[in-house]
Amino acid sequence: MTGTLPTTAGPDGQRPPPTQQGSHDLLADAPRVDEAGVGGARGFRPERTLRLRVEFARQLRRRRTYLVGLVLLLLPPIIALAFQVSSPGSGSSRSDGSYSGQLLAELATQGAVNFALFTEFASASFLLLVLVALFCGDTVASEASWSSLRYLLVIPVPRGRLLRQKLIVALTLSLGVNVLLPAWALLVGGMFFGWAPGQSPLGGTFTTGEGLTRLLIVVGYASVQSLLVASLAFLIGVLTDAPLGAVGGAILVVILSGILDSITALGDYRQFLPTHFQYAWLDAVAPTVQWDGMMRGTGSVLVYSAVFFALAWWRFHRKDIVS
Amino acid sequence: MRAEPVPRAGLPGALRPAGGAGPADPSGAAAAPVPVKARSWRGRPRSRRRLIALGAVALAVVGALAGLVVAQRDSAVATRSEFVPGTAEGGEPVLLDTTLYLPARTPAPAVLLAHGFGGSKQDLASAARDLARRGYVVLAYTARGFGASSGLVHLNAPDYEVADARALVSHLASVPEVRMDAPGDPRVGVAGSSYGGALALLAAGHDPRIDAVVADSTWHDLSRALLPNAAGDEPGVFKKQWAGVLFAAAAGRETGACGRLAPDVCAAYQRVAAAGEADEQVVALLRAASPASVLDRVHVPTLLIQGEQDSLFPLTDADANARGLAAHGTAVKEVWRRGGHDAPTSFARQVGRVDDWFGPLLFGRGQLDTSFEVVVPGGGISAETGQAVSRLLRADDAMTSRTTAELAVMGPPQTINAPAGGTPAAVTAVPGLGALLGDVAALAQPALADQAADSADTADPAGLAVIPGQAAAFASAPLPQGLLVAGSSTVTLRVTAHDSTDATLFASLVIVDPDGAPELPSGLVAPLRLTGLTQGEARTVSVALPGVVTRVPPGHRLVLVVSTTDAAYHLPTPPRSYTIALADPSAPDGGLGQGELAVARVDGRLADAEQPWGWLVAGGVAMALVLAAGMVAGARRRRRRRAVAEELATVPVVVEDLVKEYGDGYRAVDGVSFRVERGQVVGLLGPNGAGKTTVLRMLMGLIMPTAGRVRLFGEPVVPGTPALARVGAFVEGPGLLGHLSGRDNLRLYWAATGRPAEEARFETVLEIAGLGPSVERRVRTYSQGMRQRLAIAQAMLGLPELLVLDEPTNGLDPPQIAQMREVLRRYAATGRTVMISSHLLAEVEQTCSHVVVMHRGRLVAAGAVEEIVGAGGTRLAVADPEEAQRVLAAAGVAARVVPAQRSLEEVFLRMLDADS
């Protein structure tokens, strides 16, 4: 603002002189609105609001996106260095309890493909989960917490469209981390441990082409599986205004489901738990790919995420935006 | 500089309540105390109702789960336990512990269930319930000598256990729920696993009343099972570990050397265990307890199931039984299943197969399927179940489908040694743990095939399953394509004993992968015992290798391994050495160095691996349904957008009877109606909590009204109403992206509208914001006033026809406030409309042409500022009123003193007083 002090208002309530002449003149030049509504928002088309390019710009320039990128960039070299530092054959690598997983850890330094598989195994249980939950849970909730959600809605971005555009961007980013991490791990593994053909933890070796195919299956299935946490986080993000609540809530549910899954007394009911087939991609590193677990897992995740997405849409259309 | 007067021509008294009632009259509005009352009686029940609903949902979930569990327990199956007298023994009665499982519908065919060695009827409970659920009356019982049944174990002797079974069939004939074929002849099938399976076959041989048999994992000839010989018919090598395990199971925790074993059985065992050889008497005793002795008398359809992981009763036992039954035309079906004595599973897993067999025979439902089924382990272990993934091979019948494939194996004659005392001995199968050991061996093994195939002089395979110097290996070339081995392959060997007249050897078929890691399928070896050899002279013997089902992937080799030790068997104690060579039966001289392996195969159709397409389809359908529902809902939403009220198309805001009631019954807005015309600057006035912001939120479609409606330019407001594009809003503080600069905030916000950039008027708006160079800084670093101005600028992007500002002067300093006032006046001068909500009365009085006054959610007054404040008229300020009055009176001008004009504040406070 300019430094001019306002003149004191007179006893008759005379108004002080304006301070910003320029803007007033500009306003005076503004087209007048007449009866026919000239000056109305003629350029407005609901289907052009919040285009993907814009939403990408909104999300990609956030600090958390940079941070995620940094983690992804650093993780594979750190794992590779850790493997190089540890004495060979010590075999004390910690893993998540799965037999195949332990074997994957032992084979991690065999070459690029095995290293990428191990990195995928090590990060799929938690890191990728958190990142996907972050991208999908925080996208609506953070707008609510910044209060910018209501300004998007009065543009007006139709509510369904807002969710759709945000979901597309969040899922693209999630797919991005799901693909970039193993791809980068493959590269790092190749640089550290060479390009030897992949080895199955259940015996047998793959040619490089076969190994890459298997890696692709693994990444594809893991990406489909992450749809579950994505939809769950998205739903909670719509329900709550706290981004952390959305991310944490989704992770909590996944962990809960994992605990239930470990109770063998539940028997066959366990296969209806959302995370029961989370690791079915290990079937893809067997000498021959076993598809049944992955087929079940894909179906189960699709059903669950369809329900969660439907709930998110249903709720958002009826929600009072008060944040 | 003064602003031009706001043009008000043609809009006389424009701002008036839209509804018919006159809320401008404060007293009228004050006379309605309903909302206060409503809060008290409607509020609590609603939140309580929500709680109750939540509780109900939780209860329903728990109830459904409990129901599921109860349904699983299945109350429809009734049980009855009683002791049934069996054959008396030594003058004392023997009582058999039985449980009868009754299905929902009776009379029904019966199933007699017998348990395995060392078990009891409890082991059969889940299988029995399952069968009862499928409609059978099931009698599960504990065999004599086990559990709560009295008597001694006679090893399925015809006079004892088999007689017991006949007594139980007679007992079933007296059970009213059992369907009868004839008086005293119930319709009954007998099923059992292992010991119980043999009993089923034996009982069918002794009792013609039995109508069908299922025998799982059982033996053909017990003397051959415990003393197998792969190279002839003489009693072979004593299976000491398994025999010991079985003896311990029968002896139990009873005192005495024999426990509950009958003395003759016990003595026979002790003689064999001590000598490692069986005499005639023992062989006779074991044969009597074997189905082999009665197969020719069994005429009822029989299902034989055998496990592929079984070092006690291998697949060849089922083959022998099937041959014995088929020889006289008895219908028989053979199934080779997963598991076995080395990987024990509950008999309950076989119930489906039992039902498939008994259903057509006892109920007459469906067709009897006598095809030969072989479960083929897949190449991988399922991460989900931890079990090998398998596929089903189906052939027309077990006899005719068997073929062999000739496979050349090579290797020079090799001399191997048996260590003195039989140790160290190779470990292939430990009772109950065979498969596991096979895996461990496979994982721990270094190269075997390279040594076997490439090195001409020594074959020195190492590992748990094969000890160096103890084994000869003959390898095939890497298989060009995959090969399914199913059954017992055979090979002809030439065996030379150097320092004895007998030989004890173990032959096995090992799969070696291209890296040299060996795998012993199912951990099975075939012991062979040769007697009457001449030292130094070779004898040609045909060896039946273990019956296995395994898939050999392409590139892998098959290796024939002959070794001298195996820890599971009784081994000779003196040290020995043998020379093993391949014998090509087609070559007259024996064709040393190369032999033919007759690989057992089954001609059948390999069913496709079970692909759970249902799951995928369910997932796809669910997704498609949700997408379709979303599209339909979207289309309906667009159609539902009610028609624009054309006569109101030029009126920016019409609010009609607006009500907003929250879940707890609180009415934030209660029947508010007003109307805003073009070019007005309208102030929405009211104390905190009056409902101003709620009205503005409903005006912008952010929250849904409970009743009433808002029209913008004639269009009823719902979320996403296109008319909102003509509205610029600043409601309840700024909503900016902190990580972006001020300029980027505006640019991205405008980009989100999707409207052309030239409509935005960035320069005008930035000028109004007056941020100067700070506009390039991140918004995070802004002061509150700066954010406020940027947010107002954002609301003005595109110079919307209606500008809605909620408390716009918060955080602004006086000069900024003054400037804002001027901006708004000028803005309205262009024919646009401005709505401001504020609780700063002076501010509203100075800025606005019209006001709407709200209090406690209700409209108190609405109208032009002058109307509200009172008639204007020209005023003359004088220093001394009395003096002036006198002067005026003197001048002939009548004058009187009147109170000064009320301020809006004064009016406002009076209104509130009147309202409360």
Side-chain angles (χ1 to χ4, degrees):
Chain A
M1 301 304 286
T2 57
T4 40
L5 285 167
T7 53
T8 325
D12 62 349
Q14 186 193 3
R15 294 170 174 105
T19 51
Q20 284 248 302
Q21 189 57 53
S23 64
H24 299 160
D25 289 347
L26 282 170
L27 266 184
D29 292 344
R32 301 181 67 83
V33 179
D34 54 25
E35 290 284 335
V38 176
R42 278 161 307 168
F44 175 76
R45 302 272 177 284
E47 63 277 7
R48 297 189 62 195
T49 53
L50 196 65
R51 276 164 296 176
L52 292 178
R53 192 169 46 80
V54 177
E55 175 61 13
F56 267 115
R58 292 167 69 89
Q59 299 296 329
L60 283 178
R61 291 170 67 179
R62 295 177 57 183
R63 197 170 284 175
R64 63 133 218 232
T65 316
Y66 297 136
L67 214 70
V68 167
L70 195 71
V71 169
L72 289 188
L73 197 70
L74 291 181
L75 183 71
I78 288 175
I79 296 180
L81 282 173
F83 270 116
Q84 280 213 324
V85 167
S86 69
S87 57
S90 65
S92 59
S93 50
R94 188 202 149 281
S95 82
D96 289 83
S98 152
Y99 180 60
S100 302
Q102 283 171 17
L103 293 173
L104 271 182
E106 276 165 27
L107 292 174
T109 56
Q110 290 295 317
V113 173
N114 276 92
F115 182 74
L117 280 175
F118 172 73
T119 310
E120 178 76 12
F121 178 77
S123 48
S125 58
F126 199 69
L127 180 69
L128 288 180
L129 220 64
V130 171
L131 296 188
V132 169
L134 185 68
F135 283 134
C136 296
D138 160 287
T139 179
V140 176
S142 67
E143 297 279 359
S145 73
W146 297 329
S147 307
S148 51
L149 183 60
R150 60 170 174 263
Y151 291 103
L152 287 178
L153 290 176
V154 302
I155 277 177
V157 184
R159 290 193 178 186
R161 182 176 169 82
L162 182 105
L163 284 195
R164 193 185 83 191
Q165 300 297 85
K166 286 201 153 287
L167 184 64
I168 291 174
V169 169
L171 286 184
T172 310
L173 290 177
S174 305
L175 186 67
V177 298
N178 268 313
V179 170
L180 282 180
L181 180 69
W184 172 232
L186 189 74
L187 214 65
V188 170
M191 290 189 290
F192 273 80
F193 307 114
W195 301 93
Q199 257 188 44
S200 166
L202 301 170
T205 57
F206 306 129
T207 59
T208 305
E210 178 72 11
L212 288 180
T213 312
R214 298 300 181 86
L215 191 60
L216 210 66
I217 295 172
V218 167
V219 169
Y221 182 75
S223 305
V224 169
Q225 279 294 306
S226 66
L227 206 56
L228 173 81
V229 77
S231 58
L232 193 57
F234 195 69
L235 170 62
I236 304 178
V238 165
L239 295 181
T240 173
D241 295 341
L244 268 184
V247 179
I251 301 286
L252 195 75
V253 170
V254 167
I255 289 177
L256 217 68
S257 165
I259 290 175
L260 284 179
D261 199 18
S262 65
I263 301 173
T264 47
L266 288 177
D268 281 348
Y269 296 121
R270 285 186 303 158
Q271 62 178 334
F272 299 111
L273 288 170
T275 59
H276 184 67
F277 298 98
Q278 201 181 358
Y279 288 106
W281 59 261
L282 284 171
D283 289 349
V285 299
T288 53
V289 185
Q290 306 297 334
W291 291 103
D292 55 336
M294 286 193 270
M295 288 169 83
R296 286 198 179 87
T298 305
S300 146
V301 155
L302 283 181
V303 170
Y304 273 105
S305 42
V307 170
F308 292 150
F309 283 139
L311 282 177
W313 252 259
W314 184 85
R315 179 68 196 133
F316 195 63
H317 271 298
R318 282 154 188 78
K319 195 183 178 187
D320 281 347
I321 308 295
V322 291
S323 57
Chain B
M1 173 123 197
R2 289 189 62 101
E4 288 170 31
V6 177
R8 224 169 280 152
L11 301 166
L15 195 120
R16 61 181 187 277
D25 171 17
S27 61
V34 181
V36 182
K37 209 175 161 193
R39 216 171 303 152
S40 62
W41 71 263
R42 221 179 272 170
R44 245 175 287 148
R46 184 175 288 204
S47 57
R48 197 180 294 166
R49 229 179 297 150
R50 190 172 289 187
L51 253 177
I52 291 171
L54 213 81
V57 167
L59 264 179
V61 169
V62 171
L65 279 176
L68 217 64
V69 170
V70 169
Q72 201 68 5
R73 293 258 178 279
D74 202 359
S75 50
V77 175
T79 62
R80 220 154 58 203
S81 291
E82 64 180 310
F83 284 90
V84 175
T87 311
E89 186 173 353
E92 281 186 38
V94 170
L95 291 175
L96 300 171
D97 182 15
T98 70
T99 301
L100 192 68
Y101 296 81
L102 293 169
R105 276 173 50 187
T106 54
V111 172
L112 184 63
L113 275 189
H115 61 80
F117 205 67
S120 73
K121 66 172 188 180
Q122 269 81 31
D123 305 348
L124 302 166
S126 64
R129 272 187 190 282
D130 198 351
L131 280 170
R133 229 173 281 138
R134 292 167 191 247
Y136 301 90
V137 174
V138 182
L139 183 67
Y141 76 103
T142 304
R144 62 169 58 214
F146 296 107
S149 295
S150 50
L152 297 173
V153 178
H154 291 267
L155 268 192
N156 283 344
D159 294 338
Y160 298 98
E161 280 86 352
V162 179
D164 287 346
R166 298 177 62 182
L168 289 169
V169 171
S170 301
H171 171 68
L172 277 173
S174 71
V175 173
E177 287 90 347
V178 174
R179 189 191 292 179
M180 309 298 280
D181 285 330
D185 178 6
R187 180 166 298 183
V188 62
V190 189
S193 189
S194 190
Y195 189 58
L199 179 94
L201 281 168
L202 285 160
H206 285 99
D207 192 333
R209 292 174 297 174
I210 291 170
D211 301 300
V213 174
V214 174
D216 173 46
S217 300
T218 197
W219 63 86
H220 172 65
D221 178 340
L222 197 52
S223 70
R224 303 277 311 187
L226 293 179
L227 296 141
N229 188 358
D233 290 330
E234 302 92 58
V237 190
F238 180 51
K239 213 180 266 179
K240 66 172 182 186
Q241 274 191 350
W242 263 119
V245 166
L246 293 176
F247 175 77
R253 278 184 232 105
E254 306 285 320
T255 51
C258 293
R260 294 176 75 177
L261 269 183
D264 55 336
V265 176
C266 182
Y269 167 76
Q270 285 166 337
R271 280 209 303 285
V272 178
E277 287 180 356
D279 51 45
E280 295 282 319
Q281 203 186 340
V282 173
V283 170
L285 186 137
L286 293 176
R287 283 238 165 99
S290 296
S293 61
V294 297
L295 286 179
D296 56 341
R297 282 186 272 155
V298 177
H299 299 287
V300 294
T302 302
L303 168 65
L304 299 167
I305 307 172
Q306 206 76 359
E308 291 162 13
Q309 297 280 333
D310 205 321
S311 56
L312 180 59
F313 307 130
L315 296 175
T316 43
D317 278 33
D319 273 350
N321 280 336
R323 267 196 304 275
L325 290 168
H328 55 276
T330 297
V332 63
K333 174 187 173 83
E334 212 179 328
V335 174
W336 290 355
R337 65 170 173 93
R338 219 187 247 179
H341 281 93
D342 290 339
T345 51
S346 163
F347 185 61
R349 290 224 176 172
Q350 307 306 322
V351 164
R353 291 188 174 120
V354 173
D355 186 31
D356 286 346
W357 190 249
F358 282 168
L361 295 169
L362 303 182
F363 273 110
R365 58 187 179 202
Q367 277 284 314
L368 192 67
D369 171 16
T370 57
S371 65
F372 176 35
E373 290 176 25
V374 179
V375 174
V376 181
I381 294 171
S382 162
E384 186 224 331
T385 58
Q387 279 183 329
V389 181
S390 52
R391 298 172 72 181
L392 191 67
L393 181 79
R394 195 186 287 275
D396 289 338
D397 80 70
M399 304 301 119
T400 57
S401 60
R402 306 302 181 79
T403 59
T404 57
E406 297 296 316
L407 183 69
V409 285
M410 279 166 291
Q414 291 157 50
T415 300
I416 54 178
N417 301 300
T423 48
V427 179
T428 52
V430 170
L433 290 174
L436 180 68
L437 271 171
D439 281 352
V440 170
L443 290 168
Q445 292 257 357
L448 169 71
D450 290 348
Q451 291 164 333
D454 300 343
S455 68
D457 45 346
T458 61
D460 203 20
L464 262 176
V466 189
I467 292 174
Q470 292 187 5
F474 307 92
S476 74
L479 300 184
Q481 55 199 30
L483 178 67
L484 177 67
V485 182
S488 168
S489 306
T490 54
V491 72
T492 309
L493 293 175
R494 290 171 64 80
V495 177
T496 313
H498 295 298
D499 27 41
S500 61
T501 59
D502 65 298
T504 298
L505 292 167
F506 301 90
S508 57
L509 203 53
V510 175
I511 300 169
V512 177
D513 75 10
D515 298 335
E519 184 207 341
L520 182 59
S522 304
L524 294 180
V525 296
L528 41 144
R529 183 165 154 80
L530 305 171
T531 50
L533 297 172
T534 310
Q535 285 187 19
E537 196 172 294
R539 184 193 284 186
T540 304
V541 290
S542 177
V543 178
L545 294 166
V548 294
V549 179
T550 187
R551 218 194 310 224
V552 188
H556 289 45
R557 303 163 190 268
L558 274 175
V559 179
L560 169 69
V561 175
V562 180
S563 66
T564 55
T565 59
D566 191 293
Y569 292 86
H570 181 87
L571 300 172
T573 40
R576 296 185 170 177
S577 70
Y578 313 102
T579 298
I580 312 294
L582 290 169
D584 184 353
S586 57
D589 62 342
L592 294 178
Q594 181 164 356
E596 290 287 325
L597 185 66
V599 179
R601 310 195 57 193
V602 170
D603 258 353
R605 299 170 304 283
L606 196 59
D608 278 329
E610 188 218 351
Q611 303 285 28
W613 288 105
W615 288 69
L616 266 190
V617 169
V621 165
M623 265 297 167
L625 272 181
V626 166
L627 281 181
M631 268 185 242
V632 169
R636 277 177 56 190
R637 204 168 287 123
R638 273 190 293 281
R639 216 176 312 134
R640 212 167 31 203
R641 209 161 275 156
R642 277 143 293 184
V644 176
E646 288 299 338
E647 72 281 8
L648 296 173
T650 56
V651 184
V653 180
V654 178
V655 174
E656 297 166 358
D657 303 318
L658 204 57
V659 175
K660 180 64 187 180
E661 186 178 292
Y662 284 109
D664 55 1
Y666 174 65
R667 282 196 167 206
V669 175
D670 191 4
V672 169
S673 300
F674 63 87
R675 181 177 165 125
V676 177
E677 303 287 348
R678 259 177 353 106
Q680 293 180 342
V681 179
V682 178
L684 193 53
L685 268 180
N688 287 334
K692 306 184 296 283
T693 304
T694 310
V695 167
L696 292 185
R697 279 189 189 140
M698 284 189 275
L699 189 124
M700 271 161 318
L702 290 175
I703 66 180
M704 327 291 168
T706 311
R709 75 173 66 169
V710 180
R711 284 181 189 274
L712 290 176
F713 302 99
E715 227 177 282
V717 172
V718 291
T721 302
L724 283 170
R726 298 161 76 177
V727 180
F730 169 77
V731 193
E732 271 203 308
L736 302 163
L737 308 185
H739 57 283
L740 298 177
S741 70
R743 187 187 290 279
D744 284 344
N745 257 292
L746 294 187
R747 201 181 290 145
L748 262 184
Y749 183 76
W750 188 255
T753 67
R755 290 164 62 183
E758 60 269 19
E759 282 184 26
R761 302 192 151 261
F762 281 114
E763 290 320 307
T764 309
V765 162
L766 280 174
E767 188 73 24
I768 290 168
L771 291 170
S774 296
V775 79
E776 309 296 345
R777 273 166 46 207
R778 287 183 172 217
V779 167
R780 221 186 292 266
T781 64
Y782 282 16
S783 71
Q784 195 203 339
M786 290 166 85
R787 287 181 197 205
Q788 184 93 354
R789 277 180 284 148
L790 185 63
I792 292 172
Q794 178 180 296
M796 294 177 81
L797 272 177
L799 302 183
E801 284 167 79
L802 172 63
L803 183 62
V804 178
L805 302 177
D806 186 16
E807 307 282 2
T809 52
N810 279 2
L812 298 190
D813 57 22
Q816 289 165 350
I817 292 176
Q819 190 230 344
M820 188 56 60
R821 198 181 297 143
E822 187 57 30
V823 164
L824 296 183
R825 203 176 303 118
R826 295 238 181 185
Y827 196 82
T830 61
R832 295 176 170 84
T833 312
V834 179
M835 259 185 101
I836 302 172
S837 91
S838 181
H839 57 273
L840 297 176
L841 302 167
E843 188 54 45
V844 169
E845 188 173 15
Q846 285 187 43
T847 314
C848 298
S849 60
H850 293 74
V851 290
V852 173
V853 184
M854 289 184 65
H855 183 45
R856 286 192 188 153
R858 274 173 296 127
L859 191 73
V860 177
V865 173
E866 291 86 348
E867 289 171 21
I868 298 284
V869 170
T874 311
R875 278 190 296 167
L876 175 68
V878 292
D880 184 347
E882 284 166 27
E883 176 69 18
Q885 207 173 7
R886 214 172 31 247
V887 169
L888 284 171
V893 177
R896 61 189 177 91
V897 177
V898 295
Q901 190 189 356
R902 302 174 300 172
S903 72
L904 182 57
E905 183 168 352
E906 201 178 332
V907 176
F908 178 70
L909 290 176
R910 235 175 255 173
M911 282 175 176
L912 298 194
D913 282 345
D915 189 42
S916 36

